[in-house]
Amino acid sequence: MTRHHPVPVLAVLLATAAIVVGACGSSNGPLGSVPPASNGPEPSVDLGSPDIPPGPSDAPSDEPSNAPSGSAGPGSSPTASPSPTGTTIVRAYFWLGGLPGSDGLVAVLREVPATKSVATAAVNAVLAGPTSGEGGRSITTSIPDGSQLLGLAISGGVATVDLSDEFESGGGSASVMTRLGQMVYTLTQFPTVKSVVFQIEGVTRNVFSSEGVVLDKPSTRADYTDLLPDIWVDRPAFNAAIGNPAHVTGNANVFEAAFRIAILDAAGKTIADEQVMASCGTGCRGTFDVTIAYTVSKGQYGILRAYNLSAKDGSPESIRDYRVWLTPKS
C-alpha cells in the first residue's frame, strides 16, 4: 500500500500535536441515538478507552474544565471511563499533520453522555470531526461534512457500519483511504471489534467510491498501517493525561527497532528522554510498551515527543509531538 498524505506538508519538523450487516436507524438523532442491532450488542461501557481527558482550571478555552484524575496504569485493558457526572470517554481517530514520516493517524478523546452504546458514540464522535482547538494544532479529518451513521451492528468480532452517501463523496484515493482508516481505528479500539465492513445507505461496499478502493474482506488495522507515522504513539491520546510515570504504547518501524521518547514540560525543557525498543524494526512494524518517570512541580501541559536518531549522522528525525497533561508523581 502506498503511503498517503491527505493534508498539506507542514514547514516545520515539530508538529504540535500528538464495521457489517448493519441494522439501520435514524441518522439524525443525538449522540448515541442509533440503537444496537438485535443480532449482537455493542461493546459495553467496560470496553472503551482508559485515557482521562485533561482540563485544569487554567486550560485554554477549547479544553474541558474538569481536572484530570489520572490515567490507566501499566497492563490496563481498554475500558471506558464513566465520570462522576455520568459520562463516558471514547476515542476518535483523526489526522495529525507533519513532515513525511511524522504525519499520520492520531487518537483524541471525547467525553460523551454515559451509554452502553459506546461504539455508536465513538463513530458519531469521529463523524463530528476535530474541535476548533484541535484544528489549530494541525489535526484534521478526511471524512466529508454531512456524513451520518445510519446503523451499526457487531457480531463475531466484525463491526458492520452503515453510513450515509456523503461518506463516500469527494476526495482522491488518499482521502478515501484515510477516512476508512479513521473509521477502522475508531471502531477497533474496542476488544470486541477486530474488523470492519462498510455499507453505504444499506449496501455493502466491495469497491469503495469512484476511486475504486477495493474492500474485498473486512478491514483491519493492519490494512491501514501506511497511515501511521514512523513512530506511532496510540496511548496516551493527544491532550490526555499521561500519569506519572507515563505509560506509553504504540508501534514503530525504524532502523534496528530503536528510537527515543522524551517528555518536555510547559517551558519546553526536556525532563525525560529514554531509548525505547520496538519488538521489530528495519522494515517491519513492531510494538512497544514502556513507562517513563518524570518530575514536575505542578500539573501542566507539556509534550510527549517520539523521535528517531538518523543512522547517517545522529540527527533527530521522524519527530512526532503529542500535547499531553503532566502531573507530579503522587
Side-chain angles (χ1 to χ4, degrees), residues 94-176:
F94 298 113
W95 185 270
L96 177 61
L99 290 176
S102 65
D103 57 344
L105 295 179
V106 65
V108 302
L109 303 183
R110 292 291 184 263
E111 191 172 17
V112 301
T115 177
K116 292 183 179 180
S117 300
V118 289
T120 291
V123 170
N124 277 302
V126 74
L127 293 177
T131 65
S132 59
E134 290 163 349
R137 299 186 179 102
S138 303
I139 294 179
T140 61
T141 184
S142 287
I143 297 174
D145 291 342
S147 299
Q148 296 180 341
L149 175 62
L150 304 182
L152 179 61
I154 298 171
S155 180
V158 180
T160 299
V161 61
D162 186 9
L163 300 160
S164 63
D165 55 11
E166 288 88 351
F167 187 83
E168 197 177 19
S169 65
S173 60
S175 174
V176 170

Side-chain angles (χ1 to χ4, degrees), residues 14-265:
L14 306 181
T16 51
I19 93 204
V20 248
V21 179
C24 293
S26 169
S27 62
N28 299 314
L31 188 65
S33 65
V34 180
S38 59
N39 64 335
E42 293 190 42
S44 74
V45 292
D46 295 328
L47 298 175
S49 166
D51 296 307
I52 302 300
S57 58
D58 59 349
S61 60
D62 61 299
E63 305 297 346
S65 60
N66 57 300
S69 57
S71 64
S76 299
S77 60
T79 56
S81 305
S83 78
T85 57
T87 58
T88 295
I89 295 165
V90 297
R91 294 174 149 239
Y93 285 79
F94 298 113
W95 185 270
L96 177 61
L99 290 176
S102 65
D103 57 344
L105 295 179
V106 65
V108 302
L109 303 183
R110 292 291 184 263
E111 191 172 17
V112 301
T115 177
K116 292 183 179 180
S117 300
V118 289
T120 291
V123 170
N124 277 302
V126 74
L127 293 177
T131 65
S132 59
E134 290 163 349
R137 299 186 179 102
S138 303
I139 294 179
T140 61
T141 184
S142 287
I143 297 174
D145 291 342
S147 299
Q148 296 180 341
L149 175 62
L150 304 182
L152 179 61
I154 298 171
S155 180
V158 180
T160 299
V161 61
D162 186 9
L163 300 160
S164 63
D165 55 11
E166 288 88 351
F167 187 83
E168 197 177 19
S169 65
S173 60
S175 174
V176 170
M177 289 298 295
T178 301
R179 74 188 68 162
L180 293 172
Q182 286 181 241
M183 190 63 66
V184 168
Y185 272 71
T186 295
L187 278 165
T188 55
Q189 71 183 276
F190 305 107
T192 53
V193 178
K194 305 302 181 184
S195 62
V196 178
V197 174
F198 289 90
Q199 291 182 340
I200 298 296
E201 303 285 345
V203 179
T204 300
R205 287 290 195 260
N206 295 317
V207 177
F208 201 89
S209 87
S210 60
E211 296 298 322
V213 175
V214 176
L215 300 175
D216 55 355
K217 62 180 179 63
S219 298
T220 68
R221 286 195 171 197
D223 296 320
Y224 299 93
T225 55
D226 284 349
L227 301 178
L228 303 181
D230 293 345
I231 306 165
W232 185 59
V233 172
D234 191 27
R235 298 177 186 275
F238 190 93
N239 264 353
I242 63 174
N244 194 345
H247 180 211
V248 187
T249 70
N251 59 62
N253 182 359
V254 293
F255 181 67
E256 294 185 343
F259 61 96
R260 303 193 70 83
I261 292 180
I263 299 173
L264 287 66
D265 66 13

Side-chain angles (χ1 to χ4, degrees), residues 255-328:
F255 181 67
E256 294 185 343
F259 61 96
R260 303 193 70 83
I261 292 180
I263 299 173
L264 287 66
D265 66 13
K269 177 184 177 182
T270 299
I271 54 177
D273 191 338
E274 296 187 9
Q275 178 172 290
V276 178
M277 297 295 296
S279 58
C280 70
T282 315
C284 71
R285 188 165 282 275
T287 60
F288 61 88
D289 186 331
V290 298
T291 55
I292 300 175
Y294 61 92
T295 300
V296 289
S297 60
K298 62 180 181 178
Q300 58 193 275
Y301 280 106
I303 295 294
L304 177 72
R305 175 172 296 165
Y307 68 101
N308 191 24
L309 296 177
S310 168
K312 180 179 179 180
D313 59 14
S315 61
E317 61 183 11
S318 302
I319 302 169
R320 170 91 158 181
D321 281 4
Y322 300 83
R323 185 175 188 254
V324 293
W325 179 249
L326 309 176
T327 56

